[in-house]
Amino acid sequence: LFGFIGSNGAGKTTTLRILATFLTPSSGRADVLGHDVVRDADRVRHLIGYMPDFFGVYKDMEVTEYLDFFGACYRIPSAQREKTVNDVLELVGLTEKRGALIGALSRGMQQRLGLARVLIHDPQLLLLDEPASGLDPRARIEMMAILQELQRLGKTIIISSHILSELQNLCNRCAIIERGRLIYAGPVQGVREQMAETRVVWVKASPETEAVQLLQRCSDVTSVEPVEGRLKVTLANHDCDPAGLAEILVRGGVRLSELRDDEMGLEEVFLRVTKGETQ
């Protein structure tokens, strides 16, 4: 599950539209699962499911009619379509709404229906542009749970979002772009380590005074600062092992109750590496 991050106007939607074969790149090349998005566009469309941030629905159609229509567009045999529609409705939690008019569905349920539509032909890759846009907190949580289930089922998902706190917990890889340029691509944890100049760990130990003295003698420690009942310990670099601090404190007769890394959030990383510039 790959998080695609950037400011408004950075090029996220344009990139996803190119990958979905809706736009032709002005330069360069894009491949999806080994197929060129320009030369092999028809093949690419059968391999992907693209959900834009805003999409139209036929509000006077029933939920099952809507999905059956798109199943026919993908040439799924009529004998197979009913089971396929029922399966995707169960996956996105809309089974109870199968006979409802789309116009009567809430925004969150319409987003789920949009996700069901892109799953109807069982694509290998999902391109989701702001799938939680405009949803209330509960609906966002439910949407993210569905995406985690799809990931567990083996789907590869590229998701763009401005809700970085949710991407931080959801994605295992991410990319940050600004003005159409890639700033970082790799593991979510990797971007934190790459952007943080030092490594910080938090220590809670007693007696605190003795803990400070022991830590200050350690060659890997550059500073020790008491902060609200804990010690903020700055290490020389990311290669320093915090487990060594625990050994030093325990051998020194100090009772250690907490030792944890200070993880930089994805939002903080994003603010550090981007300038808010648009194309």
Side-chain angles (χ1 to χ4, degrees), residues 147-164:
L147 296 183
Q148 287 179 313
E149 176 64 14
L150 290 172
Q151 181 189 27
R152 190 186 67 78
L153 292 173
K155 300 295 184 188
T156 298
I157 305 171
I158 299 179
I159 173 174
S160 75
S161 177
H162 292 297
I163 308 169
L164 301 189

Side-chain angles (χ1 to χ4, degrees), residues 37-66:
V37 297
V38 177
R39 293 198 308 269
D40 302 326
D42 285 342
R43 179 60 181 154
V44 169
R45 288 170 192 146
H46 281 81
L47 297 172
I48 65 169
Y50 172 57
M51 181 175 167
D53 50 352
F54 295 102
F55 57 91
V57 291
Y58 303 114
K59 295 187 176 182
D60 55 350
M61 264 187 169
E62 291 183 358
V63 167
T64 49
E65 288 178 323
Y66 178 79

Side-chain angles (χ1 to χ4, degrees), residues 1-272:
L1 209 156
F2 189 89
F4 199 36
I5 304 165
S7 305
N8 289 329
K12 302 188 301 297
T13 295
T14 299
T15 303
L16 292 181
R17 285 177 177 170
I18 288 171
L19 295 177
T21 75
F22 282 104
L23 290 178
T24 301
S26 53
S27 63
R29 170 191 172 126
D31 290 347
V32 173
L33 298 166
H35 300 278
D36 186 280
V37 297
V38 177
R39 293 198 308 269
D40 302 326
D42 285 342
R43 179 60 181 154
V44 169
R45 288 170 192 146
H46 281 81
L47 297 172
I48 65 169
Y50 172 57
M51 181 175 167
D53 50 352
F54 295 102
F55 57 91
V57 291
Y58 303 114
K59 295 187 176 182
D60 55 350
M61 264 187 169
E62 291 183 358
V63 167
T64 49
E65 288 178 323
Y66 178 79
L67 294 176
D68 184 78
F69 169 73
F70 281 98
C73 291
Y74 279 105
R75 299 178 183 175
I76 298 173
S78 56
Q80 183 184 338
R81 282 205 298 272
E82 183 178 356
K83 181 181 185 307
T84 301
V85 167
N86 289 335
D87 287 346
V88 295
L89 285 175
E90 182 178 356
L91 188 58
V92 301
L94 282 181
T95 301
E96 295 180 359
K97 299 292 183 179
R98 61 192 319 277
L101 286 176
I102 296 174
L105 299 179
S106 66
R107 164 76 171 167
M109 288 183 179
Q110 288 189 13
Q111 288 289 92
R112 291 197 208 181
L113 181 60
L115 187 57
R117 176 184 60 78
V118 302
L119 291 170
I120 197 74
H121 61 295
D122 194 24
Q124 296 181 48
L125 171 67
L126 300 181
L127 304 172
L128 309 181
D129 194 0
E130 300 280 354
S133 175
L135 301 186
D136 62 55
R138 176 176 292 277
R140 283 207 310 269
I141 292 170
E142 291 171 350
M143 175 64 74
M144 296 305 166
I146 293 170
L147 296 183
Q148 287 179 313
E149 176 64 14
L150 290 172
Q151 181 189 27
R152 190 186 67 78
L153 292 173
K155 300 295 184 188
T156 298
I157 305 171
I158 299 179
I159 173 174
S160 75
S161 177
H162 292 297
I163 308 169
L164 301 189
S165 58
E166 291 180 351
L167 287 188
Q168 177 176 315
N169 299 323
L170 189 69
C171 299
N172 42 33
R173 299 180 70 82
C174 70
I176 300 176
I177 68 167
E178 186 166 45
R179 300 189 67 184
R181 299 285 181 180
L182 192 66
I183 297 175
Y184 173 84
V188 171
Q189 184 59 40
V191 68
R192 296 176 189 149
E193 294 177 357
Q194 181 174 313
M195 300 308 164
E197 297 174 357
T198 57
R199 184 172 188 175
V200 173
V201 295
W202 291 90
V203 173
K204 189 173 183 180
S206 61
E208 187 175 281
T209 305
E210 292 183 21
V212 171
Q213 293 173 351
L214 288 168
L215 291 170
Q216 286 176 336
R217 294 176 198 157
C218 180
S219 60
D220 289 339
V221 174
T222 58
S223 69
V224 182
E225 178 186 356
V227 179
E228 299 179 354
R230 288 176 172 78
L231 299 176
K232 182 181 179 182
V233 182
T234 303
L235 302 180
N237 56 63
H238 280 285
D239 295 329
C240 298
D241 185 6
L245 303 182
E247 186 177 353
I248 290 170
L249 292 171
V250 172
R251 284 187 175 180
V254 172
R255 189 170 69 86
L256 179 65
S257 56
E258 180 183 350
L259 191 151
R260 62 177 175 81
D261 265 308
D262 181 36
E263 291 191 352
M264 186 190 303
L266 205 51
E267 288 184 354
E268 185 179 348
V269 170
F270 178 73
L271 291 173
R272 284 194 187 191

